[in-house]
Amino acid sequence: MRILLVEDHEDLALIIGDHLLRAGFVLDHAGSAAAAAACLDVVDYGGVVLDLGLPDLDGLSVLARLRREERGRQVPVILLTARGGLEDRVKGLNAGADDYLVKPFDLSELEARLRAVLRRPGLRESHVLRFGDLTIEPAALSVRVAGAVLDLARKEYALMEEMLRVAPAIVIKDNIEDRLYSFEEPVTPNAIEAIVSRLRRKLAAAGARVRIDTLRGLGYRLSDRGTDALDK
């Protein structure tokens, strides 16, 4: 899942970003309200981690702008701030934040709170995702085929998660790069096809019923061949 981190303190942003990347998230970083607005204009993020003390505008202004837009009303937002007073916390939550962390905080707590807001009803994250004989536990970055762990690289896992979330519907190819790559990551022309090819080999080697179908000109989807096999 692609997350936007809005934090003007470069060292702190690097520490947070490194932790969230290792936790399996795709991450973009904005160091100002203006940079955050530019990112939000072109990417539909799964969640936002937002510092209130930005150099150009207060973070609450970024939050207010996000909540005014149709596509931003349901995006989970966690506020980060050095302001620990009750009035500040209430103001942030009333402005539309989903959670609030006071600096300094533990990185594992930030990760846990982020996953918690992503699990709330109506949002994308779930404790366990299932389709056919595949299961994914997003919090553990674990993919299993009929209970056996499937060893996936980070981008392979990210694509599998995107497909499993909507299965058996189609994941549109034009949207996949936005979900799997941050602005800083280079993307080769055939990067997605290469990831799909590796996933197909690993699913076949694991004896999975689930397959990845290519719909030319559209994208990819998961299909469960178990029912077809039983019918023959």
Side-chain angles (χ1 to χ4, degrees):
M1 181 176 292
R2 192 167 176 178
I3 302 296
L4 177 63
L5 170 63
V6 188
E7 169 61 63
D8 66 314
H9 192 289
E10 288 292 336
D11 290 341
L12 180 57
L14 285 172
I15 293 170
I16 294 173
D18 180 66
H19 182 88
L20 293 181
L21 285 170
R22 286 187 285 108
F25 293 99
V26 177
L27 191 82
D28 288 323
H29 169 234
S32 66
C39 291
L40 291 166
D41 281 342
V42 296
V43 177
D44 290 325
Y45 288 99
V48 177
V49 178
L50 174 62
D51 182 28
L52 288 183
L54 300 173
D56 47 354
L57 286 175
D58 190 280
L60 288 180
S61 300
V62 177
L63 178 59
R65 178 184 183 276
L66 182 65
R67 293 304 189 226
R68 283 196 301 268
E69 297 179 354
E70 181 67 30
R71 68 177 187 173
R73 289 176 187 170
Q74 297 299 318
V75 178
V77 177
I78 294 181
L79 296 181
L80 306 179
T81 182
R83 311 167 197 170
L86 176 61
E87 182 179 349
D88 291 315
R89 295 199 301 273
V90 170
K91 185 184 296 184
L93 294 171
N94 284 340
D98 296 87
D99 205 346
Y100 201 105
L101 267 177
V102 178
K103 300 176 182 178
F105 52 84
D106 189 277
L107 292 171
S108 60
E109 182 179 7
L110 172 60
E111 180 190 344
R113 286 176 179 257
L114 181 56
R115 294 194 187 281
V117 298
L118 292 170
R119 285 196 298 267
R120 289 179 182 172
L123 300 175
R124 299 179 62 202
E125 190 83 347
S126 172
H127 287 287
V128 179
L129 304 171
R130 293 185 176 89
F131 181 75
D133 56 353
L134 280 183
T135 54
I136 283 184
E137 298 177 55
L141 302 181
S142 172
V143 181
R144 294 176 182 270
V145 175
V149 174
L150 191 65
D151 185 21
L152 299 181
R154 187 164 66 92
K155 295 301 184 190
E156 294 167 0
Y157 170 86
L159 180 53
M160 181 67 78
E161 183 179 353
E162 291 294 334
M163 289 190 292
L164 197 55
R165 285 185 184 281
V166 301
I170 301 168
V171 176
I172 302 302
K173 185 177 180 180
D174 290 345
N175 297 335
I176 293 176
E177 286 185 10
D178 286 342
R179 305 273 181 83
L180 268 62
Y181 293 90
S182 67
F183 290 121
E184 289 76 21
E185 293 180 284
V187 185
T188 60
N190 297 317
I192 303 303
E193 287 84 351
I195 296 171
V196 170
S197 178
R198 293 196 299 270
L199 281 174
R200 283 179 171 143
R201 289 198 299 270
K202 291 183 178 183
L203 288 171
R209 295 192 334 237
V210 173
R211 297 289 186 268
I212 301 174
D213 295 333
T214 299
L215 287 86
R216 296 192 181 279
L218 291 175
Y220 306 96
R221 70 179 176 193
L222 295 179
S223 61
D224 182 2
R225 306 300 171 87
T227 303
D228 293 341
L230 291 174
D231 289 341
K232 291 180 180 179

